Amino acid sequence: SANHERSLEACYSTLLEMIAHPIDSRYVLATVEHNGVAKPAVEVPFRIQFPGFSLYPDVETPVHYIGFIDAILYDTLRDRYIVADVKTTRKYRNDYTAMFARDSQCLPYSYVLQKALNQPADALDVLYFVAYVDAMNPRVLTYEFPKSAATIQAWAFDFAFELSNLRQYAALGF
């Protein structure tokens, strides 16, 4: 239905607004090498492996953290890579800072940048491209939030704890 909040018309109108809202010219789309081929860093697939970790002590059962990075950009002013994360929403806000300033989704991407582009995982800048989906009045806002080494390490610690819990649940048969 054309009246649905996320109708084809609403999505198309929002896409046009996103295209009309350019990202600062200081950023250029990075390229990553995958299987010997350089590709634009858009929808970058990744798999983080945990060497030596097995779900069961007696059977090797590796666990992987798998995902996609929306885009990796190169910041020409600061001479470093950042990640761009596209967020679509129907929550109308004047400011989306509270929604994304502490968002942890992109924290593991620092390890991907370390492995793929040799950038230390001691900090990460995330550019959020927030699009309010609406057929008549779509809006696009950008926010850049730095993620510190302490925040990245806290995510890694929490994830290690989750892995430990996962191993315990597996041992209990859950």
Side-chain angles (χ1 to χ4, degrees), residues 103-123:
D103 186 47
S104 64
Q105 175 188 340
C106 298
L107 293 174
Y109 301 173
S110 62
Y111 298 109
V112 176
L113 294 183
Q114 181 179 39
K115 183 77 172 175
L117 298 166
N118 297 316
Q119 179 166 288
D122 59 356

Side-chain angles (χ1 to χ4, degrees), residues 34-73:
H34 182 67
N35 294 332
V37 178
K39 297 180 178 183
V42 175
E43 283 297 311
V44 179
F46 68 87
R47 179 176 64 194
I48 299 174
Q49 300 176 343
F50 304 96
F53 180 87
S54 178
L55 195 56
Y56 301 100
D58 54 344
V59 179
E60 186 175 334
T61 312
V63 174
H64 305 272
Y65 190 97
I66 298 172
F68 290 87
I69 299 174
D70 290 349
I72 301 173
L73 305 175

Side-chain angles (χ1 to χ4, degrees), residues 111 152-162:
Y111 298 109
I152 295 166
Q153 290 169 356
W155 173 86
F157 180 82
D158 289 344
F159 191 74
F161 186 73
E162 289 180 33

Side-chain angles (χ1 to χ4, degrees), residues 70-82:
D70 290 349
I72 301 173
L73 305 175
Y74 180 71
D75 184 336
T76 59
L77 290 180
R78 289 184 283 174
D79 189 32
R80 63 182 288 118
Y81 294 98
I82 70 163

Side-chain angles (χ1 to χ4, degrees), residues 26 32 37 42 53 58 62 79-81 85 94 107 116 127 137 140 144 148 156 174:
R26 79 185 223 203
V32 291
V37 178
V42 175
F53 180 87
D58 54 344
D79 189 32
R80 63 182 288 118
Y81 294 98
D85 198 42
N94 288 327
L107 293 174
L127 179 69
N137 296 305
V140 175
E144 189 170 336
S148 69
F174 284 104

Side-chain angles (χ1 to χ4, degrees), residues 89 91-93 95-100 130 139 141 143:
T89 184
K91 294 178 183 176
Y92 188 88
R93 306 273 191 276
D95 185 355
Y96 293 92
T97 298
M99 286 179 70
F100 301 113
V130 182
R139 292 184 322 133
L141 301 165
Y143 299 88

Side-chain angles (χ1 to χ4, degrees), residues 154-169:
W155 173 86
F157 180 82
D158 289 344
F159 191 74
F161 186 73
E162 289 180 33
L163 285 175
S164 175
N165 285 342
L166 187 62
R167 182 184 278 160
Q168 184 176 12
Y169 294 144

